[in-house]
């Protein structure tokens, strides 16, 4: 039986309490929410925190709020709530697409968006989703809050901008007009990590051209979570099959997958390209359907 | 550290190490060995129990995290009137062979039926998609849950008329 190494456990009663604990215990402390990434890593001794600060009682961080032109998601919001939210599905179907294929129902009952992002696993789906949507994250410390674009949040595999004594408290997603988004994932079996996955978010200008384009990739390299080159190609262009195929090729060329038991690097590169163009196609169709229905205007 | 966990309606207080996993607390400390321990990596789902009514994989929950919450295990499925319709369904439809996945499957089914009295085959398959069965090919498990849904509904529609009869 696998058991984590010894650690001390503290249950935070409020965000301030959690921050005080994190400050007191310094870099030996880790926040635990769902625990479905951290505990398996602790069992394997890939993570060995001295202190766990349990934030599951901080219901003040469990919310979905549409606030003007952005959706604010509390860090403790569980996958299941994101999957079942009609507001999320309406404005950001990319989330719903992804949540359907993230792990499985018991894991989604525990896992949180904050935990997913802070784990910063290059194969993790919500990182790609938030990258495509150009989300911002709110990091709070005892000295106050700072807002960080998600593209600056990742510092490498399992490393984020969250410093010692800080925690992620909120994710903010801009709501755009005439917008559509989608997520495409290939997995070996139900609930598995992606072999490769791609998310796309588009917002169209009045004339139908692409005004905002976001593409996020999962499982094809730590530096490929944000597919910049493919995004640049799309901006200002008319949506078309050829354009989406070319954007897919760019995403495939730019990523750096490694061969493992889920596939060869070549296969994953192919998937990155193909899934990017499929996600773009669906995102564009959803944006167009929204414009037609009058919802996105 | 001290934990207080309600398991199947009874409060248990115990002194545990913070690293003690819920599955071990249930099996070793309470001797509730109906909760099985399988892959230990939250993949196989045989250790599923209900935490505040929802399925979780107890190999990936610390006993400390469950403190102050209620846990339901397979030992808590049977009620004063006999087997839960889910347990009955697994018998009627031969929903198990070796039985290793069965406790977790039945608890997931219970949680599903508590939220949705009439789940479709697809909804049942989605609900159990985090749990592996290597014997049945899932077909009989799905049938067992459908059996429970149908007989649970019948029991619920029958009981008011029975009490009416009793009142007359």
């Amino acid at each position: 039986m696998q058991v984590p190494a010894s650690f001390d456990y503290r249950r935070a009663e409020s965000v301030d309490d959690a921050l005080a604990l994190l400050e007191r215990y310094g870099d030996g402390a880790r926040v635990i929410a769902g625990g479905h990434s951290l505990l398996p890593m602790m069992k394997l001794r890939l993570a060995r925190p001295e202190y766990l600060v349990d934030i599951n009682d901080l219901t003040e961080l469990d919310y979905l709020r549409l606030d003007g032109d952005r959706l604010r998601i509390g860090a403790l919001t569980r996958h299941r709530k994101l999957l079942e939210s009609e507001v999320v599905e309406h404005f950001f179907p990319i989330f719903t697409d992804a949540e359907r294929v993230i792990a499985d129902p018991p894991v989604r009952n525990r896992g949180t968006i904050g935990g997913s992002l802070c784990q910063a696993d290059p194969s993790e789906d919500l990182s790609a989703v938030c990258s495509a949507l150009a989300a911002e994250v709110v990091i709070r410390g005892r000295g106050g809050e700072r807002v960080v674009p998600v593209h600056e949040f990742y510092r490498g595999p399992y490393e984020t901008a969250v410093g010692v004594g800080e925690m992620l408290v909120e994710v903010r997603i801009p709501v755009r007009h005439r917008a559509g988004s989608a997520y495409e994932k290939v997995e070996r079996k139900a609930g598995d990590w992606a072999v490769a996955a791609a998310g796309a978010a588009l917002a169209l200008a009045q004339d139908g051209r692409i005004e905002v384009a976001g593409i996020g990739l999962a499982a094809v390299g730590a530096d490929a979570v944000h597919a910049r080159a493919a995004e640049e190609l799309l901006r200002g262009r008319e949506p078309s099959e050829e354009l989406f195929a070319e954007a897919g090729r760019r995403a495939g060329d730019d990523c750096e997958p490694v061969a493992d038991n889920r596939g060869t690097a070549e296969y994953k590169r192919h998937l990155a390209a193909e899934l990017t163009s499929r996600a773009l196609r669906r995102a564009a169709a959803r944006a167009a359907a929204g414009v037609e229905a009058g919802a996105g205007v | 550290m001290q934990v207080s966990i309600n398991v199947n309606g009874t409060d248990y207080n115990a002194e545990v190490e913070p690293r003690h996993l819920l599955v071990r607390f249930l099996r070793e400390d309470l001797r509730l060995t109906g909760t099985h321990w399988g892959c230990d990596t939250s993949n196989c789902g045989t250790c599923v129990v209900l935490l505040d009514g929802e399925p979780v994989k107890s190999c990936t929950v610390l006993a400390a995290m469950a403190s102050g919450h209620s846990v339901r295990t397979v030992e808590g499925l049977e009620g004063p009137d006999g087997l839960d319709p889910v347990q009955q369904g697994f018998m009627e439809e031969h929903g198990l062979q070796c039985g290793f996945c069965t406790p977790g499957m039945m608890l997931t089914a219970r949680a599903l039926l508590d939220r949705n009295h009439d789940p479709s085959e697809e909804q049942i398959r989605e609900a159990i998609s985090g749990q592996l069965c290597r014997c049945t090919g899932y077909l009989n498990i799905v049938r067992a849950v459908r059996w429970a849904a149908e007989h649970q509904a019948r029991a619920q529609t029958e009981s008011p008329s029975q009490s009416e009869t009793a009142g007359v």
Side-chain angles (χ1 to χ4, degrees):
Chain A
M1 185 174 266
Q2 298 175 354
V3 180
S6 290
F7 56 86
D8 227 334
Y9 171 92
R10 295 284 182 275
R11 195 184 280 202
E13 290 168 6
S14 66
V15 173
D16 286 342
D17 185 29
L19 293 174
L21 290 167
L22 291 170
E23 192 176 77
R24 189 184 317 156
Y25 300 127
D27 62 6
R30 288 286 300 267
V31 169
I32 188 163
H36 278 64
S37 298
L38 184 55
L39 286 175
M41 285 183 79
M42 288 169 65
K43 288 179 178 182
L44 296 169
R45 304 297 189 274
L46 295 172
R48 223 174 151 166
E50 292 168 70
Y51 296 90
L52 282 188
V53 177
D54 183 348
I55 61 163
N56 280 287
D57 285 353
L58 308 189
T59 48
E60 66 215 83
L61 295 181
D62 178 8
Y63 58 85
L64 286 165
R65 275 181 218 134
L66 206 50
D67 178 10
D69 59 357
R70 63 190 177 188
L71 178 72
R72 297 168 55 187
I73 307 173
L76 197 67
T77 306
R78 315 260 173 202
H79 289 297
R80 177 178 184 167
K81 189 168 184 171
L82 289 163
L83 175 61
E84 293 179 352
S85 162
E86 287 175 14
V87 170
V88 169
E89 187 172 20
H90 178 75
F91 289 102
F92 308 107
I94 183 175
F95 256 105
T96 315
D97 289 347
E99 286 292 357
R100 280 198 186 103
V101 290
I102 290 175
D104 54 56
V107 173
R108 292 197 295 260
N109 281 339
R110 296 293 292 168
T112 64
I113 184 170
S116 295
L117 297 188
C118 288
Q119 180 69 12
D121 187 315
S123 297
E124 198 279 318
D125 298 289
L126 289 191
S127 300
V129 168
C130 288
S131 183
L133 292 169
E136 291 177 327
V137 299
V138 182
I139 298 170
R140 195 182 297 170
R142 293 261 270 171
E145 279 186 358
R146 56 200 176 100
V147 180
V148 178
V150 78
H151 300 139
E152 294 167 23
F153 178 71
Y154 295 103
R155 297 285 161 87
Y158 312 108
E159 282 186 42
T160 71
V162 178
V164 172
E166 291 185 318
M167 62 187 281
L168 186 148
V169 291
E170 186 177 273
V171 180
R172 295 176 178 170
I173 320 262
V175 174
R176 301 186 194 281
H177 297 297
R178 294 176 295 277
S181 59
Y183 195 69
E184 295 278 350
K185 174 176 175 176
V186 167
E187 52 186 7
R188 292 177 307 174
K189 58 186 171 67
D192 197 12
W193 294 95
V195 179
L202 296 174
L204 306 177
Q206 290 279 9
D207 64 2
R209 287 174 194 275
I210 295 167
E211 192 168 31
V212 183
I215 296 173
L217 303 176
V220 286
D223 293 329
V225 176
H226 182 202
R228 286 184 180 81
E231 288 179 1
E232 278 161 21
L233 174 79
L234 294 160
R235 257 174 237 130
R237 304 277 294 273
E238 196 97 32
S240 72
E241 270 303 309
E242 296 70 40
L243 181 67
F244 295 158
E246 178 57 26
R249 275 192 291 278
R250 279 212 190 180
D253 289 347
D254 270 10
C255 66
E256 286 168 10
V258 291
D260 60 14
N261 56 6
R262 288 186 174 79
T264 63
E266 191 190 2
Y267 174 52
K268 293 181 185 184
R269 200 180 287 281
H270 164 77
L271 282 180
E274 178 59 30
L275 297 178
T276 296
S277 44
R278 285 186 198 174
L280 283 167
R281 200 179 298 142
R282 279 174 63 218
R286 283 171 168 169
V291 170
E292 216 159 277
V297 185
Chain B
M1 63 173 292
Q2 195 70 25
V3 293
S4 172
I5 305 176
N6 183 292
V7 180
N8 300 327
T10 304
D11 286 322
Y12 293 92
N13 297 299
E15 180 70 26
V16 301
E17 271 194 277
R19 61 176 172 168
H20 203 41
L21 297 163
L22 180 58
V23 65
R24 300 188 71 185
F25 176 76
L26 296 170
R27 288 179 56 85
E28 294 167 17
D29 299 358
L30 304 189
R31 299 304 298 164
L32 293 173
T33 53
T35 301
H36 292 162
W37 160 65
C39 72
D40 223 348
T41 55
S42 67
N43 280 289
C44 78
T46 195
C47 65
V48 162
V49 299
L50 304 187
L51 182 65
D52 296 333
E54 296 299 344
V56 301
K57 296 182 177 178
S58 61
C59 74
T60 312
V61 175
L62 299 170
M65 295 167 83
S67 188
H69 296 271
S70 52
V71 172
R72 194 171 180 194
T73 70
V74 67
E75 289 89 349
L77 269 181
E78 187 179 353
D81 301 328
L83 293 181
D84 188 283
V86 168
Q87 294 173 301
Q88 198 74 36
F90 271 71
M91 279 171 56
E92 297 292 335
E93 297 292 342
H94 198 75
L96 66 149
Q97 188 170 310
C98 84
F100 194 65
C101 72
T102 313
M105 288 288 184
M106 293 199 299
L107 288 162
T108 294
R110 181 73 266 146
L112 173 67
L113 293 174
D114 285 345
R115 290 173 130 250
N116 179 354
H117 296 310
D118 188 25
S120 65
E121 179 178 337
E122 195 189 338
Q123 287 167 327
I124 296 168
R125 286 185 178 273
E126 168 63 20
I128 62 170
S129 63
Q131 290 155 272
L132 297 178
C133 170
R134 298 286 85 144
C135 301
T136 66
Y138 304 99
L139 191 63
N140 286 358
I141 294 174
V142 173
R143 285 184 185 142
V145 180
R146 276 305 312 164
W147 189 98
E150 281 155 24
H151 289 76
Q152 179 170 270
R154 202 168 300 161
Q156 277 161 358
T157 51
E158 275 169 11
S159 52
S161 63
Q162 277 168 356
S163 60
E164 271 170 31
T165 316
V168 173

